[in-house]
Each structure stands twice: as C-alpha cells, then as structure tokens.
Amino acid sequence: MSNKPELLATPKDVAAAERLLHAGADALIIGEQRYGLRLAGEFTRADVEAVTELAHDKGKKVYVAMNALLHNDTVGELADYIAFLKEAKVDAIVFGDPAVLMTAREVAPEMKLHWNTETTATNWFTANYWGRKGAKRAVLARELNMDSIVEIKENAEVEIEVQVHGMTCMFQSKRTLIGNYMTFQGKNLAVERTDQSRNMVLFDSERDAKYPIFEDENGTHIMSPNDISIIDELEEMIDAGVDSFKIDGILKSTEYMEKVVAIYREAIDLCVDDRDAYDDKKDEFVEQVEAVQPDNRKLDTGFFFKETVY
C-alpha cells in the first residue's frame, strides 16, 4: 500500500496550533509576516518556540515560512532569523527567494528547505533543479491539474506538496493598493484598516464572484472567490505517492480549521488503509465539509480537473 501523505495545516495562533495537532494535522506552517507570505496568523519568536515544542511533544513537525518577496533591506536580517529557527529546532524552512537558501547554507546547513515560489513550481525539471541546490521539497503551484501533479511526482527527486483545501491567491502586488485608494479618497487608514481582519472583498457582478482582498507588509493580496476541496478525489495523488496535503486556513476560524482537518484526517486514513470504505464514504465527506463552509465561500475542485492548454 502507498505511504500515507502528511496532513499539513496553517494555524492562526498558538492555541489553534494545539487544536489542529489534536485534530490530526501531522505538520504546521507558521511564521511572521516580515518573512512569510499569506500566513493564517502572526507568530512571534516566542510563539515559534512554543508551537515547535508542542508539536515535537506529539511527534509532529513545524515548518516556518520565509517565502515573502524579499527586498535588499531585509536580506541582512535573514541570518539572525535562520539562526533563531535552528536554535528553536524547527523542522524546515519554506523559501522562495534564493537569498534564504544561500543564508541557510551558511547559518544552518542541516536545516531542511522547502522550495515554494507559489506560482512557478509547475514541472519536475525545475523542482529537481532546486533539489540539487538543497531543497528537500517542492510546493506545487495551485494552477496544475491532476495529470500534471502525478507526472511531476513520478519524475521528482524531491518531496512534493499539494494544496487540497482552502483559498488560494490569485494576485499579489508589492504595492499597497487599497491603502493608496483610501488615501486618494481622503480616508484615515488608522481607522479604516486594510488587513485580514477587515474582511474586505472585491465584487465582480459579471461573474457574481466575491474576491477577498487584504493588505499587509508584503503588499496587496487578492484571493480566490471559492475554496478548493478535493476530499473525494484523493486516490490518484495518494497512489502516486504525493508526500504532503496542505489545508490552507487563511481567513478562516480555528473552529472551521479544526473540523476540516479532522474530516481530512479520517479521509486520508481510510483512503490508504481501506479504499472501499473510502469510496463508500466519499459523499459523506463532501457533505461534512460543505456543512462547515462559510455561506459566502463555495467549494470547487480548483484546477485539478481543468485541461492543460499549451
């Protein structure tokens, strides 16, 4: 039987980390906005230490995101932060910018590295290139279909991580677009707020779609109008040996994440251990996930079954 893929989740705080581990997550992604992209919550150094200890006590893993779009003024700080992560004994660093890789080589040569540039991990050749440079895992772009994912896994010399649930980013600009717009309107930004807690959306009347939008240190982020969920389509990727399934909890409550992680935990275990039972329970898994979805967030299968056009 195929190996069981890791179930990876993104908590919004230390208390959430404990709850998601208890619900069945095998690994967590945390970090701080200054170095990490679109995290579900902000984790100070003390929080990183607390979560890592918590996870390791349960035999689980912690990955810290350093995949932000780094500018020259931040590069000088990387060595100090990576030295801290090494000291805290986190299990891996998620990086996009080669500066993180180069710094980690010097400061923490034993540290595992996961290559994640969000949109450009679209083929096994590039994944293997970064593998030769020191990455242990490639995080695939969300715009790939199932056939492409399976093909990449068959040819990859590194671990492969795929997002199976949650919202994805459709657009990012390093500019503070909402802030600029509000300033143009003469609004007081201290009062208005542009971050995740503001719950702002862009509305497209033609498509009848609402795109969540927020702004942070990394600029402006426009998110997908629907959440991906492929809880009833896990077999092909499990059989291919995909190493990690990610549930992204950005803009979601801890209660929601706890329930979704528990449902996926059961689905993955059944799919690996008892395929017939998984087949029988697929519809029920879909209903369980739909039951906890926020009213304004429909579920779809993302790009998993879209045809690739060359």
Side-chain angles (χ1 to χ4, degrees), residues 1-239:
M1 198 66 219
S2 44
N3 286 336
K4 200 170 282 188
E6 166 188 272
L7 181 55
L8 176 62
T10 62
K12 63 196 296 185
D13 52 36
V14 178
E18 184 156 23
R19 287 166 65 175
L20 297 190
L21 290 168
H22 190 255
D26 298 309
L28 302 172
I29 289 196
I30 60 173
E32 56 183 77
Q33 219 180 88
R34 186 155 180 79
Y35 308 113
L37 217 45
R38 289 182 286 280
L39 293 157
E42 183 76 356
F43 289 79
T44 63
R45 291 187 180 205
D47 292 340
V48 170
E49 288 172 333
V51 173
T52 306
E53 198 173 323
L54 208 71
H56 288 175
D57 282 350
K58 297 180 189 300
K60 311 285 179 84
K61 292 180 174 171
V62 173
Y63 308 142
V64 172
M66 292 185 72
N67 58 337
L69 308 179
L70 299 173
H71 278 199
N72 292 347
D73 56 351
T74 322
V75 171
E77 303 167 18
L78 298 178
D80 180 63
Y81 192 63
I82 291 173
F84 156 71
L85 297 178
K86 178 187 176 182
E87 193 69 23
K89 295 185 168 57
V90 305
D91 296 282
I93 289 172
V94 182
F95 80 98
D97 193 309
V100 176
L101 173 94
M102 304 298 286
T103 311
R105 269 191 194 161
E106 286 172 31
V107 181
E110 303 301 306
M111 180 66 74
K112 286 196 170 71
L113 298 165
H114 295 174
W115 175 61
N116 180 11
T117 47
E118 293 288 321
T119 53
T120 59
T122 55
N123 61 79
W124 54 266
F125 189 86
T126 315
N128 290 345
Y129 169 84
W130 287 105
R132 289 193 296 278
K133 295 282 176 259
K136 292 278 180 286
R137 174 182 295 187
V139 180
L140 296 191
R142 321 299 175 274
E143 295 83 2
L144 295 174
N145 64 20
M146 195 72 86
D147 293 342
S148 305
I149 290 167
V150 169
E151 185 197 342
I152 290 170
K153 179 58 202 169
E154 282 169 356
N155 294 284
E157 293 150 14
V158 291
E159 292 177 10
I160 294 296
E161 178 188 310
V162 174
Q163 183 178 334
V164 293
H165 192 94
M167 71 170 72
T168 58
C169 181
M170 294 175 58
F171 169 88
Q172 177 186 359
S173 168
K174 193 80 175 164
R175 294 188 177 95
T176 51
L177 301 178
I178 313 165
N180 294 349
Y181 172 69
M182 286 187 173
T183 306
F184 175 69
Q185 286 194 317
K187 292 190 173 171
N188 179 351
L189 274 187
V191 178
E192 296 290 342
R193 281 199 336 279
T194 57
D195 61 1
Q196 290 181 26
S197 62
R198 178 82 192 275
N199 292 332
M200 287 184 289
V201 294
L202 285 176
F203 180 62
D204 178 350
S205 53
E206 259 179 60
R207 290 193 173 91
D208 190 28
K210 294 188 175 104
Y211 304 90
I213 178 170
F214 65 90
E215 206 172 87
D216 61 14
E217 274 190 48
N218 293 303
T220 308
H221 311 265
I222 302 176
M223 309 301 284
S224 56
N226 298 339
D227 285 349
I228 308 169
S229 179
I230 53 156
I231 194 155
D232 53 338
E233 300 282 356
L234 298 175
E235 308 99 302
E236 208 176 333
M237 288 194 293
I238 283 178
D239 291 343

Side-chain angles (χ1 to χ4, degrees), residues 1-7 21-26 60 231 234-235 238-239 245 260-279 281 285:
M1 198 66 219
S2 44
N3 286 336
K4 200 170 282 188
E6 166 188 272
L7 181 55
L21 290 168
H22 190 255
D26 298 309
K60 311 285 179 84
I231 194 155
L234 298 175
E235 308 99 302
I238 283 178
D239 291 343
F245 287 166
V260 171
V261 166
I263 299 165
Y264 269 88
R265 175 76 278 158
E266 187 187 350
I268 291 168
D269 291 350
L270 266 188
C271 190
V272 173
D273 301 332
D274 188 346
R275 188 61 55 90
D276 292 342
Y278 171 71
D279 285 339
K281 206 170 176 181
F285 286 137

